[in-house]
Amino acid sequence: MKLPRNFFKPLAIGAPTPLRELPLKLERMIHFVPPHIEKMRAKVTELISQVDVVLGNLEDAIPADAKEAARAGFIAMAKANEFGATGLWTRINALNSPWVLDDIKELVAAVGHKLDIVMLPKVEGAWDIHYLDQLLAQLEAKHSINKPILIHAILETAEGVNNVEAIATASPRMHGISLGPADLAASRAMKTTRVGGGHPDYKMLADLAPGADAGAPRATYQQDPWHYTMAKMVDACAAAGIKAFYGPFGDFSDPSACEAQFRNSFLLGCAGAWTLHPSQVAIAKRVFSPDPDEVAFAKKIITAMPDGSGAVMIDGKMQDDATWKQAKVLVDLARLVAAKDPDMAARYAL
Ligand code: GLV
Ligand code: MG
């Protein structure tokens, strides 16, 4: 194991010093842009004020014969725009692909000073993070990049899920992890062609009424096939001090199911989700900005317990040091949203 005192040393002479704390940023939606399509690139200037993160996708969904155009398109869109507080991320190709080395080398050389985060797909274990960590440090040093480019892993293989704790703690460059339900379903041989969400056949049956015959109709309850992975990922991320995200929701024609999937992840601890279609941006904004009524109640708790200790009753509900901490999670997030969104600031009365 690496010595604790070496963990925060740069991995190349001249590379920037790794961060000890993640920058405090609102990342409710990571909006995917296919950068090889000029029409989509042209929309980025307008998109910057509407989303928290713009991500140029180089991996799956980009055809093999457009990989180089996507890379060049990403560099062009990064150069052509000022992103301000909006994050600029890219999803590079997988480490076993023929394109990834050029993705990393060309992006860092051309726009490394603007690039906040590299999303790495199909991460299997800490070794994948170590490779990218070292390579980024060498390239940062070579191109005099003065702020470390962070790494975001996609959890989308069975081996990755097995190793999620080691992935989360592999490097101070780790920003967070997203659940990738499409590749993960394939990797596990789950029998579904859906991208996220439930499945009508993944369900429990209510007990038979006493005396009813075995074929009598009874209630069924759909279950959440992602619950286990999501909870495991959230624990790994929270323990490592990094952020957890839900990934893609593929059925654009079912906004309610998308909202339910996003909301489950929000309630379990995720900071945001991917948006693949413009219609999903409003859903993510609604879901990952805390509910004003919940925030109002959380503010009551904090006001009633100024130093965060003791026990009080509010509206018939017991509050103590632990609920004060729960309240603080909501109010801290509301402050972050309020700083970006004046309408929400008014609704939170912050
Ligand atoms: C995302 O990349 C997924 O495979 O779901
Ligand atoms: Mg994938």
Side-chain angles (χ1 to χ4, degrees), residues 32 59-60 91 119 121-122 154-156 178-185 195-196 246-249 274 276:
F32 272 53
E59 199 224 10
D60 292 357
R91 176 169 78 166
M119 181 183 273
K122 302 178 178 62
I154 312 181
L155 195 63
E156 53 182 353
S178 286
L179 174 63
D183 270 300
L184 184 54
V195 177
Y246 175 73
F249 189 86
W274 303 2
L276 305 184

mmCIF file with all atom_site columns, all heavy atoms in Angstrom, residues 32 59-60 91 119 121-122 154-156 178-185 195-196 246-249 274 276, ligand 1:
data_model
loop_
_atom_site.group_PDB
_atom_site.id
_atom_site.type_symbol
_atom_site.label_atom_id
_atom_site.label_alt_id
_atom_site.label_comp_id
_atom_site.label_asym_id
_atom_site.label_entity_id
_atom_site.label_seq_id
_atom_site.pdbx_PDB_ins_code
_atom_site.Cartn_x
_atom_site.Cartn_y
_atom_site.Cartn_z
_atom_site.occupancy
_atom_site.B_iso_or_equiv
_atom_site.pdbx_formal_charge
_atom_site.auth_seq_id
_atom_site.auth_comp_id
_atom_site.auth_asym_id
_atom_site.auth_atom_id
_atom_site.pdbx_PDB_model_num
ATOM   1   N N   . PHE A 1 32  ? -24.866 15.132 -21.568 1.00 0.00 ? 32  PHE A N   1
ATOM   2   C CA  . PHE A 1 32  ? -24.038 14.516 -22.609 1.00 0.00 ? 32  PHE A CA  1
ATOM   3   C C   . PHE A 1 32  ? -24.240 15.203 -23.961 1.00 0.00 ? 32  PHE A C   1
ATOM   4   O O   . PHE A 1 32  ? -25.368 15.380 -24.420 1.00 0.00 ? 32  PHE A O   1
ATOM   5   C CB  . PHE A 1 32  ? -24.405 13.026 -22.743 1.00 0.00 ? 32  PHE A CB  1
ATOM   6   C CG  . PHE A 1 32  ? -23.626 12.137 -21.812 1.00 0.00 ? 32  PHE A CG  1
ATOM   7   C CD1 . PHE A 1 32  ? -23.591 12.392 -20.447 1.00 0.00 ? 32  PHE A CD1 1
ATOM   8   C CD2 . PHE A 1 32  ? -22.915 11.035 -22.303 1.00 0.00 ? 32  PHE A CD2 1
ATOM   9   C CE1 . PHE A 1 32  ? -22.871 11.574 -19.585 1.00 0.00 ? 32  PHE A CE1 1
ATOM   10  C CE2 . PHE A 1 32  ? -22.193 10.213 -21.445 1.00 0.00 ? 32  PHE A CE2 1
ATOM   11  C CZ  . PHE A 1 32  ? -22.168 10.478 -20.090 1.00 0.00 ? 32  PHE A CZ  1
ATOM   12  N N   . GLU A 1 59  ? -17.070 8.105  -26.025 1.00 0.00 ? 59  GLU A N   1
ATOM   13  C CA  . GLU A 1 59  ? -17.147 6.632  -25.951 1.00 0.00 ? 59  GLU A CA  1
ATOM   14  C C   . GLU A 1 59  ? -18.414 6.066  -26.626 1.00 0.00 ? 59  GLU A C   1
ATOM   15  O O   . GLU A 1 59  ? -18.757 6.504  -27.732 1.00 0.00 ? 59  GLU A O   1
ATOM   16  C CB  . GLU A 1 59  ? -17.066 6.204  -24.465 1.00 0.00 ? 59  GLU A CB  1
ATOM   17  C CG  . GLU A 1 59  ? -16.677 4.744  -24.264 1.00 0.00 ? 59  GLU A CG  1
ATOM   18  C CD  . GLU A 1 59  ? -17.533 4.042  -23.211 1.00 0.00 ? 59  GLU A CD  1
ATOM   19  O OE1 . GLU A 1 59  ? -18.535 4.584  -22.757 1.00 0.00 ? 59  GLU A OE1 1
ATOM   20  O OE2 . GLU A 1 59  ? -17.186 2.890  -22.852 1.00 0.00 ? 59  GLU A OE2 1
ATOM   21  N N   . ASP A 1 60  ? -19.089 5.138  -25.967 1.00 0.00 ? 60  ASP A N   1
ATOM   22  C CA  . ASP A 1 60  ? -20.242 4.464  -26.564 1.00 0.00 ? 60  ASP A CA  1
ATOM   23  C C   . ASP A 1 60  ? -21.271 5.495  -27.049 1.00 0.00 ? 60  ASP A C   1
ATOM   24  O O   . ASP A 1 60  ? -21.439 6.552  -26.426 1.00 0.00 ? 60  ASP A O   1
ATOM   25  C CB  . ASP A 1 60  ? -20.888 3.520  -25.541 1.00 0.00 ? 60  ASP A CB  1
ATOM   26  C CG  . ASP A 1 60  ? -19.966 2.336  -25.224 1.00 0.00 ? 60  ASP A CG  1
ATOM   27  O OD1 . ASP A 1 60  ? -18.885 2.241  -25.847 1.00 0.00 ? 60  ASP A OD1 1
ATOM   28  O OD2 . ASP A 1 60  ? -20.310 1.523  -24.353 1.00 0.00 ? 60  ASP A OD2 1
ATOM   29  N N   . ARG A 1 91  ? -16.110 12.170 -21.538 1.00 0.00 ? 91  ARG A N   1
ATOM   30  C CA  . ARG A 1 91  ? -16.047 10.718 -21.303 1.00 0.00 ? 91  ARG A CA  1
ATOM   31  C C   . ARG A 1 91  ? -15.138 10.162 -22.389 1.00 0.00 ? 91  ARG A C   1
ATOM   32  O O   . ARG A 1 91  ? -15.483 10.205 -23.571 1.00 0.00 ? 91  ARG A O   1
ATOM   33  C CB  . ARG A 1 91  ? -17.427 10.070 -21.377 1.00 0.00 ? 91  ARG A CB  1
ATOM   34  C CG  . ARG A 1 91  ? -17.312 8.543  -21.213 1.00 0.00 ? 91  ARG A CG  1
ATOM   35  C CD  . ARG A 1 91  ? -18.657 7.869  -21.004 1.00 0.00 ? 91  ARG A CD  1
ATOM   36  N NE  . ARG A 1 91  ? -19.418 7.721  -22.230 1.00 0.00 ? 91  ARG A NE  1
ATOM   37  C CZ  . ARG A 1 91  ? -20.503 6.912  -22.347 1.00 0.00 ? 91  ARG A CZ  1
ATOM   38  N NH1 . ARG A 1 91  ? -20.943 6.232  -21.307 1.00 0.00 ? 91  ARG A NH1 1
ATOM   39  N NH2 . ARG A 1 91  ? -21.154 6.827  -23.489 1.00 0.00 ? 91  ARG A NH2 1
ATOM   40  N N   . MET A 1 119 ? -14.151 11.412 -17.380 1.00 0.00 ? 119 MET A N   1
ATOM   41  C CA  . MET A 1 119 ? -14.964 10.263 -16.966 1.00 0.00 ? 119 MET A CA  1
ATOM   42  C C   . MET A 1 119 ? -14.381 9.022  -17.639 1.00 0.00 ? 119 MET A C   1
ATOM   43  O O   . MET A 1 119 ? -14.216 8.983  -18.857 1.00 0.00 ? 119 MET A O   1
ATOM   44  C CB  . MET A 1 119 ? -16.412 10.488 -17.392 1.00 0.00 ? 119 MET A CB  1
ATOM   45  C CG  . MET A 1 119 ? -17.339 9.376  -16.983 1.00 0.00 ? 119 MET A CG  1
ATOM   46  S SD  . MET A 1 119 ? -19.027 9.677  -17.611 1.00 0.00 ? 119 MET A SD  1
ATOM   47  C CE  . MET A 1 119 ? -19.733 10.674 -16.310 1.00 0.00 ? 119 MET A CE  1
ATOM   48  N N   . PRO A 1 121 ? -14.771 5.105  -18.471 1.00 0.00 ? 121 PRO A N   1
ATOM   49  C CA  . PRO A 1 121 ? -15.763 4.026  -18.488 1.00 0.00 ? 121 PRO A CA  1
ATOM   50  C C   . PRO A 1 121 ? -15.171 2.676  -18.106 1.00 0.00 ? 121 PRO A C   1
ATOM   51  O O   . PRO A 1 121 ? -13.951 2.486  -18.117 1.00 0.00 ? 121 PRO A O   1
ATOM   52  C CB  . PRO A 1 121 ? -16.234 4.009  -19.947 1.00 0.00 ? 121 PRO A CB  1
ATOM   53  C CG  . PRO A 1 121 ? -15.122 4.579  -20.738 1.00 0.00 ? 121 PRO A CG  1
ATOM   54  C CD  . PRO A 1 121 ? -14.353 5.506  -19.820 1.00 0.00 ? 121 PRO A CD  1
ATOM   55  N N   . LYS A 1 122 ? -16.056 1.756  -17.768 1.00 0.00 ? 122 LYS A N   1
ATOM   56  C CA  . LYS A 1 122 ? -15.718 0.330  -17.594 1.00 0.00 ? 122 LYS A CA  1
ATOM   57  C C   . LYS A 1 122 ? -14.539 0.099  -16.645 1.00 0.00 ? 122 LYS A C   1
ATOM   58  O O   . LYS A 1 122 ? -13.655 -0.710 -16.917 1.00 0.00 ? 122 LYS A O   1
ATOM   59  C CB  . LYS A 1 122 ? -15.481 -0.310 -18.959 1.00 0.00 ? 122 LYS A CB  1
ATOM   60  C CG  . LYS A 1 122 ? -16.731 -0.157 -19.829 1.00 0.00 ? 122 LYS A CG  1
ATOM   61  C CD  . LYS A 1 122 ? -16.617 -0.700 -21.217 1.00 0.00 ? 122 LYS A CD  1
ATOM   62  C CE  . LYS A 1 122 ? -17.896 -0.559 -22.033 1.00 0.00 ? 122 LYS A CE  1
ATOM   63  N NZ  . LYS A 1 122 ? -18.421 0.765  -22.322 1.00 0.00 ? 122 LYS A NZ  1
ATOM   64  N N   . ILE A 1 154 ? -16.981 5.187  -14.121 1.00 0.00 ? 154 ILE A N   1
ATOM   65  C CA  . ILE A 1 154 ? -18.314 4.596  -14.315 1.00 0.00 ? 154 ILE A CA  1
ATOM   66  C C   . ILE A 1 154 ? -18.279 3.183  -13.754 1.00 0.00 ? 154 ILE A C   1
ATOM   67  O O   . ILE A 1 154 ? -17.374 2.395  -14.047 1.00 0.00 ? 154 ILE A O   1
ATOM   68  C CB  . ILE A 1 154 ? -18.750 4.561  -15.795 1.00 0.00 ? 154 ILE A CB  1
ATOM   69  C CG1 . ILE A 1 154 ? -18.532 5.912  -16.472 1.00 0.00 ? 154 ILE A CG1 1
ATOM   70  C CG2 . ILE A 1 154 ? -20.223 4.178  -15.888 1.00 0.00 ? 154 ILE A CG2 1
ATOM   71  C CD1 . ILE A 1 154 ? -18.960 5.945  -17.938 1.00 0.00 ? 154 ILE A CD1 1
ATOM   72  N N   . LEU A 1 155 ? -19.292 2.891  -12.933 1.00 0.00 ? 155 LEU A N   1
ATOM   73  C CA  . LEU A 1 155 ? -19.428 1.566  -12.327 1.00 0.00 ? 155 LEU A CA  1
ATOM   74  C C   . LEU A 1 155 ? -20.363 0.773  -13.222 1.00 0.00 ? 155 LEU A C   1
ATOM   75  O O   . LEU A 1 155 ? -21.588 0.964  -13.174 1.00 0.00 ? 155 LEU A O   1
ATOM   76  C CB  . LEU A 1 155 ? -20.018 1.740  -10.927 1.00 0.00 ? 155 LEU A CB  1
ATOM   77  C CG  . LEU A 1 155 ? -19.922 0.550  -9.997  1.00 0.00 ? 155 LEU A CG  1
ATOM   78  C CD1 . LEU A 1 155 ? -18.479 0.199  -9.717  1.00 0.00 ? 155 LEU A CD1 1
ATOM   79  C CD2 . LEU A 1 155 ? -20.653 0.825  -8.695  1.00 0.00 ? 155 LEU A CD2 1
ATOM   80  N N   . GLU A 1 156 ? -19.769 -0.080 -14.057 1.00 0.00 ? 156 GLU A N   1
ATOM   81  C CA  . GLU A 1 156 ? -20.621 -0.723 -15.072 1.00 0.00 ? 156 GLU A CA  1
ATOM   82  C C   . GLU A 1 156 ? -20.123 -2.113 -15.466 1.00 0.00 ? 156 GLU A C   1
ATOM   83  O O   . GLU A 1 156 ? -20.446 -2.596 -16.543 1.00 0.00 ? 156 GLU A O   1
ATOM   84  C CB  . GLU A 1 156 ? -20.777 0.186  -16.295 1.00 0.00 ? 156 GLU A CB  1
ATOM   85  C CG  . GLU A 1 156 ? -19.495 0.692  -16.908 1.00 0.00 ? 156 GLU A CG  1
ATOM   86  C CD  . GLU A 1 156 ? -19.725 1.625  -18.104 1.00 0.00 ? 156 GLU A CD  1
ATOM   87  O OE1 . GLU A 1 156 ? -20.855 1.795  -18.563 1.00 0.00 ? 156 GLU A OE1 1
ATOM   88  O OE2 . GLU A 1 156 ? -18.724 2.178  -18.588 1.00 0.00 ? 156 GLU A OE2 1
ATOM   89  N N   . SER A 1 178 ? -20.278 7.074  -11.217 1.00 0.00 ? 178 SER A N   1
ATOM   90  C CA  . SER A 1 178 ? -21.647 6.984  -11.751 1.00 0.00 ? 178 SER A CA  1
ATOM   91  C C   . SER A 1 178 ? -22.013 5.536  -11.988 1.00 0.00 ? 178 SER A C   1
ATOM   92  O O   . SER A 1 178 ? -21.194 4.753  -12.490 1.00 0.00 ? 178 SER A O   1
ATOM   93  C CB  . SER A 1 178 ? -21.747 7.694  -13.112 1.00 0.00 ? 178 SER A CB  1
ATOM   94  O OG  . SER A 1 178 ? -21.739 9.084  -12.984 1.00 0.00 ? 178 SER A OG  1
ATOM   95  N N   . LEU A 1 179 ? -23.270 5.218  -11.708 1.00 0.00 ? 179 LEU A N   1
ATOM   96  C CA  . LEU A 1 179 ? -23.787 3.882  -12.022 1.00 0.00 ? 179 LEU A CA  1
ATOM   97  C C   . LEU A 1 179 ? -24.156 3.815  -13.503 1.00 0.00 ? 179 LEU A C   1
ATOM   98  O O   . LEU A 1 179 ? -24.924 4.642  -13.997 1.00 0.00 ? 179 LEU A O   1
ATOM   99  C CB  . LEU A 1 179 ? -25.030 3.622  -11.161 1.00 0.00 ? 179 LEU A CB  1
ATOM   100 C CG  . LEU A 1 179 ? -25.801 2.333  -11.439 1.00 0.00 ? 179 LEU A CG  1
ATOM   101 C CD1 . LEU A 1 179 ? -24.937 1.117  -11.150 1.00 0.00 ? 179 LEU A CD1 1
ATOM   102 C CD2 . LEU A 1 179 ? -27.051 2.273  -10.598 1.00 0.00 ? 179 LEU A CD2 1
ATOM   103 N N   . GLY A 1 180 ? -23.581 2.846  -14.221 1.00 0.00 ? 180 GLY A N   1
ATOM   104 C CA  . GLY A 1 180 ? -23.885 2.658  -15.648 1.00 0.00 ? 180 GLY A CA  1
ATOM   105 C C   . GLY A 1 180 ? -24.746 1.416  -15.844 1.00 0.00 ? 180 GLY A C   1
ATOM   106 O O   . GLY A 1 180 ? -24.226 0.309  -16.023 1.00 0.00 ? 180 GLY A O   1
ATOM   107 N N   . PRO A 1 181 ? -26.087 1.575  -15.833 1.00 0.00 ? 181 PRO A N   1
ATOM   108 C CA  . PRO A 1 181 ? -26.951 0.392  -15.822 1.00 0.00 ? 181 PRO A CA  1
ATOM   109 C C   . PRO A 1 181 ? -26.934 -0.425 -17.112 1.00 0.00 ? 181 PRO A C   1
ATOM   110 O O   . PRO A 1 181 ? -27.243 -1.614 -17.077 1.00 0.00 ? 181 PRO A O   1
ATOM   111 C CB  . PRO A 1 181 ? -28.348 0.975  -15.563 1.00 0.00 ? 181 PRO A CB  1
ATOM   112 C CG  . PRO A 1 181 ? -28.273 2.378  -16.038 1.00 0.00 ? 181 PRO A CG  1
ATOM   113 C CD  . PRO A 1 181 ? -26.865 2.832  -15.801 1.00 0.00 ? 181 PRO A CD  1
ATOM   114 N N   . ALA A 1 182 ? -26.582 0.186  -18.241 1.00 0.00 ? 182 ALA A N   1
ATOM   115 C CA  . ALA A 1 182 ? -26.645 -0.568 -19.508 1.00 0.00 ? 182 ALA A CA  1
ATOM   116 C C   . ALA A 1 182 ? -25.496 -1.577 -19.576 1.00 0.00 ? 182 ALA A C   1
ATOM   117 O O   . ALA A 1 182 ? -25.708 -2.788 -19.703 1.00 0.00 ? 182 ALA A O   1
ATOM   118 C CB  . ALA A 1 182 ? -26.616 0.392  -20.691 1.00 0.00 ? 182 ALA A CB  1
ATOM   119 N N   . ASP A 1 183 ? -24.267 -1.085 -19.451 1.00 0.00 ? 183 ASP A N   1
ATOM   120 C CA  . ASP A 1 183 ? -23.130 -2.017 -19.493 1.00 0.00 ? 183 ASP A CA  1
ATOM   121 C C   . ASP A 1 183 ? -23.161 -2.977 -18.318 1.00 0.00 ? 183 ASP A C   1
ATOM   122 O O   . ASP A 1 183 ? -22.770 -4.145 -18.448 1.00 0.00 ? 183 ASP A O   1
ATOM   123 C CB  . ASP A 1 183 ? -21.806 -1.233 -19.487 1.00 0.00 ? 183 ASP A CB  1
ATOM   124 C CG  . ASP A 1 183 ? -21.355 -0.909 -20.903 1.00 0.00 ? 183 ASP A CG  1
ATOM   125 O OD1 . ASP A 1 183 ? -21.135 -1.848 -21.678 1.00 0.00 ? 183 ASP A OD1 1
ATOM   126 O OD2 . ASP A 1 183 ? -21.229 0.286  -21.220 1.00 0.00 ? 183 ASP A OD2 1
ATOM   127 N N   . LEU A 1 184 ? -23.622 -2.484 -17.159 1.00 0.00 ? 184 LEU A N   1
ATOM   128 C CA  . LEU A 1 184 ? -23.628 -3.357 -15.985 1.00 0.00 ? 184 LEU A CA  1
ATOM   129 C C   . LEU A 1 184 ? -24.614 -4.513 -16.178 1.00 0.00 ? 184 LEU A C   1
ATOM   130 O O   . LEU A 1 184 ? -24.315 -5.665 -15.839 1.00 0.00 ? 184 LEU A O   1
ATOM   131 C CB  . LEU A 1 184 ? -23.963 -2.553 -14.725 1.00 0.00 ? 184 LEU A CB  1
ATOM   132 C CG  . LEU A 1 184 ? -23.917 -3.328 -13.417 1.00 0.00 ? 184 LEU A CG  1
ATOM   133 C CD1 . LEU A 1 184 ? -22.582 -4.029 -13.212 1.00 0.00 ? 184 LEU A CD1 1
ATOM   134 C CD2 . LEU A 1 184 ? -24.198 -2.408 -12.227 1.00 0.00 ? 184 LEU A CD2 1
ATOM   135 N N   . ALA A 1 185 ? -25.768 -4.208 -16.766 1.00 0.00 ? 185 ALA A N   1
ATOM   136 C CA  . ALA A 1 185 ? -26.749 -5.269 -17.032 1.00 0.00 ? 185 ALA A CA  1
ATOM   137 C C   . ALA A 1 185 ? -26.122 -6.330 -17.937 1.00 0.00 ? 185 ALA A C   1
ATOM   138 O O   . ALA A 1 185 ? -26.251 -7.535 -17.692 1.00 0.00 ? 185 ALA A O   1
ATOM   139 C CB  . ALA A 1 185 ? -27.996 -4.676 -17.672 1.00 0.00 ? 185 ALA A CB  1
ATOM   140 N N   . VAL A 1 195 ? -32.325 0.670  -20.439 1.00 0.00 ? 195 VAL A N   1
ATOM   141 C CA  . VAL A 1 195 ? -31.222 1.452  -19.850 1.00 0.00 ? 195 VAL A CA  1
ATOM   142 C C   . VAL A 1 195 ? -31.763 2.111  -18.590 1.00 0.00 ? 195 VAL A C   1
ATOM   143 O O   . VAL A 1 195 ? -32.364 3.183  -18.631 1.00 0.00 ? 195 VAL A O   1
ATOM   144 C CB  . VAL A 1 195 ? -30.678 2.499  -20.851 1.00 0.00 ? 195 VAL A CB  1
ATOM   145 C CG1 . VAL A 1 195 ? -29.582 3.338  -20.206 1.00 0.00 ? 195 VAL A CG1 1
ATOM   146 C CG2 . VAL A 1 195 ? -30.149 1.808  -22.105 1.00 0.00 ? 195 VAL A CG2 1
ATOM   147 N N   . GLY A 1 196 ? -31.569 1.452  -17.456 1.00 0.00 ? 196 GLY A N   1
ATOM   148 C CA  . GLY A 1 196 ? -32.038 1.968  -16.174 1.00 0.00 ? 196 GLY A CA  1
ATOM   149 C C   . GLY A 1 196 ? -33.526 1.699  -15.962 1.00 0.00 ? 196 GLY A C   1
ATOM   150 O O   . GLY A 1 196 ? -34.217 1.143  -16.827 1.00 0.00 ? 196 GLY A O   1
ATOM   151 N N   . TYR A 1 246 ? -26.266 8.774  -10.317 1.00 0.00 ? 246 TYR A N   1
ATOM   152 C CA  . TYR A 1 246 ? -26.954 7.817  -11.167 1.00 0.00 ? 246 TYR A CA  1
ATOM   153 C C   . TYR A 1 246 ? -26.575 8.169  -12.619 1.00 0.00 ? 246 TYR A C   1
ATOM   154 O O   . TYR A 1 246 ? -26.380 9.337  -12.946 1.00 0.00 ? 246 TYR A O   1
ATOM   155 C CB  . TYR A 1 246 ? -28.481 7.886  -10.964 1.00 0.00 ? 246 TYR A CB  1
ATOM   156 C CG  . TYR A 1 246 ? -29.164 6.984  -11.948 1.00 0.00 ? 246 TYR A CG  1
ATOM   157 C CD1 . TYR A 1 246 ? -29.113 5.599  -11.783 1.00 0.00 ? 246 TYR A CD1 1
ATOM   158 C CD2 . TYR A 1 246 ? -29.753 7.493  -13.108 1.00 0.00 ? 246 TYR A CD2 1
ATOM   159 C CE1 . TYR A 1 246 ? -29.656 4.755  -12.724 1.00 0.00 ? 246 TYR A CE1 1
ATOM   160 C CE2 . TYR A 1 246 ? -30.300 6.644  -14.053 1.00 0.00 ? 246 TYR A CE2 1
ATOM   161 C CZ  . TYR A 1 246 ? -30.232 5.283  -13.855 1.00 0.00 ? 246 TYR A CZ  1
ATOM   162 O OH  . TYR A 1 246 ? -30.751 4.444  -14.812 1.00 0.00 ? 246 TYR A OH  1
ATOM   163 N N   . GLY A 1 247 ? -26.495 7.185  -13.492 1.00 0.00 ? 247 GLY A N   1
ATOM   164 C CA  . GLY A 1 247 ? -26.084 7.433  -14.875 1.00 0.00 ? 247 GLY A CA  1
ATOM   165 C C   . GLY A 1 247 ? -27.239 7.689  -15.826 1.00 0.00 ? 247 GLY A C   1
ATOM   166 O O   . GLY A 1 247 ? -28.093 8.527  -15.564 1.00 0.00 ? 247 GLY A O   1
ATOM   167 N N   . PRO A 1 248 ? -27.326 6.939  -16.927 1.00 0.00 ? 248 PRO A N   1
ATOM   168 C CA  . PRO A 1 248 ? -28.316 7.237  -17.968 1.00 0.00 ? 248 PRO A CA  1
ATOM   169 C C   . PRO A 1 248 ? -29.670 6.597  -17.725 1.00 0.00 ? 248 PRO A C   1
ATOM   170 O O   . PRO A 1 248 ? -29.764 5.502  -17.182 1.00 0.00 ? 248 PRO A O   1
ATOM   171 C CB  . PRO A 1 248 ? -27.665 6.615  -19.215 1.00 0.00 ? 248 PRO A CB  1
ATOM   172 C CG  . PRO A 1 248 ? -26.881 5.455  -18.691 1.00 0.00 ? 248 PRO A CG  1
ATOM   173 C CD  . PRO A 1 248 ? -26.382 5.865  -17.325 1.00 0.00 ? 248 PRO A CD  1
ATOM   174 N N   . PHE A 1 249 ? -30.723 7.290  -18.196 1.00 0.00 ? 249 PHE A N   1
ATOM   175 C CA  . PHE A 1 249 ? -32.059 6.694  -18.247 1.00 0.00 ? 249 PHE A CA  1
ATOM   176 C C   . PHE A 1 249 ? -32.489 6.739  -19.716 1.00 0.00 ? 249 PHE A C   1
ATOM   177 O O   . PHE A 1 249 ? -32.628 7.820  -20.298 1.00 0.00 ? 249 PHE A O   1
ATOM   178 C CB  . PHE A 1 249 ? -33.049 7.455  -17.362 1.00 0.00 ? 249 PHE A CB  1
ATOM   179 C CG  . PHE A 1 249 ? -34.355 6.731  -17.247 1.00 0.00 ? 249 PHE A CG  1
ATOM   180 C CD1 . PHE A 1 249 ? -34.529 5.741  -16.290 1.00 0.00 ? 249 PHE A CD1 1
ATOM   181 C CD2 . PHE A 1 249 ? -35.383 6.978  -18.157 1.00 0.00 ? 249 PHE A CD2 1
ATOM   182 C CE1 . PHE A 1 249 ? -35.715 5.022  -16.221 1.00 0.00 ? 249 PHE A CE1 1
ATOM   183 C CE2 . PHE A 1 249 ? -36.568 6.267  -18.088 1.00 0.00 ? 249 PHE A CE2 1
ATOM   184 C CZ  . PHE A 1 249 ? -36.735 5.283  -17.115 1.00 0.00 ? 249 PHE A CZ  1
ATOM   185 N N   . TRP A 1 274 ? -27.044 11.617 -15.130 1.00 0.00 ? 274 TRP A N   1
ATOM   186 C CA  . TRP A 1 274 ? -26.735 12.028 -16.503 1.00 0.00 ? 274 TRP A CA  1
ATOM   187 C C   . TRP A 1 274 ? -28.025 12.460 -17.193 1.00 0.00 ? 274 TRP A C   1
ATOM   188 O O   . TRP A 1 274 ? -29.086 11.885 -16.958 1.00 0.00 ? 274 TRP A O   1
ATOM   189 C CB  . TRP A 1 274 ? -26.152 10.881 -17.316 1.00 0.00 ? 274 TRP A CB  1
ATOM   190 C CG  . TRP A 1 274 ? -24.917 10.240 -16.776 1.00 0.00 ? 274 TRP A CG  1
ATOM   191 C CD1 . TRP A 1 274 ? -24.263 10.535 -15.611 1.00 0.00 ? 274 TRP A CD1 1
ATOM   192 C CD2 . TRP A 1 274 ? -24.202 9.162  -17.380 1.00 0.00 ? 274 TRP A CD2 1
ATOM   193 N NE1 . TRP A 1 274 ? -23.186 9.706  -15.461 1.00 0.00 ? 274 TRP A NE1 1
ATOM   194 C CE2 . TRP A 1 274 ? -23.128 8.853  -16.533 1.00 0.00 ? 274 TRP A CE2 1
ATOM   195 C CE3 . TRP A 1 274 ? -24.375 8.421  -18.547 1.00 0.00 ? 274 TRP A CE3 1
ATOM   196 C CZ2 . TRP A 1 274 ? -22.221 7.830  -16.825 1.00 0.00 ? 274 TRP A CZ2 1
ATOM   197 C CZ3 . TRP A 1 274 ? -23.476 7.412  -18.840 1.00 0.00 ? 274 TRP A CZ3 1
ATOM   198 C CH2 . TRP A 1 274 ? -22.398 7.138  -17.995 1.00 0.00 ? 274 TRP A CH2 1
ATOM   199 N N   . LEU A 1 276 ? -29.300 12.714 -21.070 1.00 0.00 ? 276 LEU A N   1
ATOM   200 C CA  . LEU A 1 276 ? -28.926 12.368 -22.444 1.00 0.00 ? 276 LEU A CA  1
ATOM   201 C C   . LEU A 1 276 ? -29.818 13.095 -23.439 1.00 0.00 ? 276 LEU A C   1
ATOM   202 O O   . LEU A 1 276 ? -29.515 13.127 -24.622 1.00 0.00 ? 276 LEU A O   1
ATOM   203 C CB  . LEU A 1 276 ? -29.064 10.854 -22.671 1.00 0.00 ? 276 LEU A CB  1
ATOM   204 C CG  . LEU A 1 276 ? -28.295 9.947  -21.713 1.00 0.00 ? 276 LEU A CG  1
ATOM   205 C CD1 . LEU A 1 276 ? -28.463 8.498  -22.129 1.00 0.00 ? 276 LEU A CD1 1
ATOM   206 C CD2 . LEU A 1 276 ? -26.825 10.312 -21.666 1.00 0.00 ? 276 LEU A CD2 1
HETATM 207 C C1  . GLV B 2 .   ? -23.420 3.853  -19.242 1.00 0.00 ? 1   GLV B C1  1
HETATM 208 O O1  . GLV B 2 .   ? -22.376 4.012  -19.789 1.00 0.00 ? 1   GLV B O1  1
HETATM 209 C C2  . GLV B 2 .   ? -24.078 2.594  -19.162 1.00 0.00 ? 1   GLV B C2  1
HETATM 210 O O2  . GLV B 2 .   ? -23.501 1.630  -19.693 1.00 0.00 ? 1   GLV B O2  1
HETATM 211 O O3  . GLV B 2 .   ? -25.168 2.532  -18.590 1.00 0.00 ? 1   GLV B O3  1
#
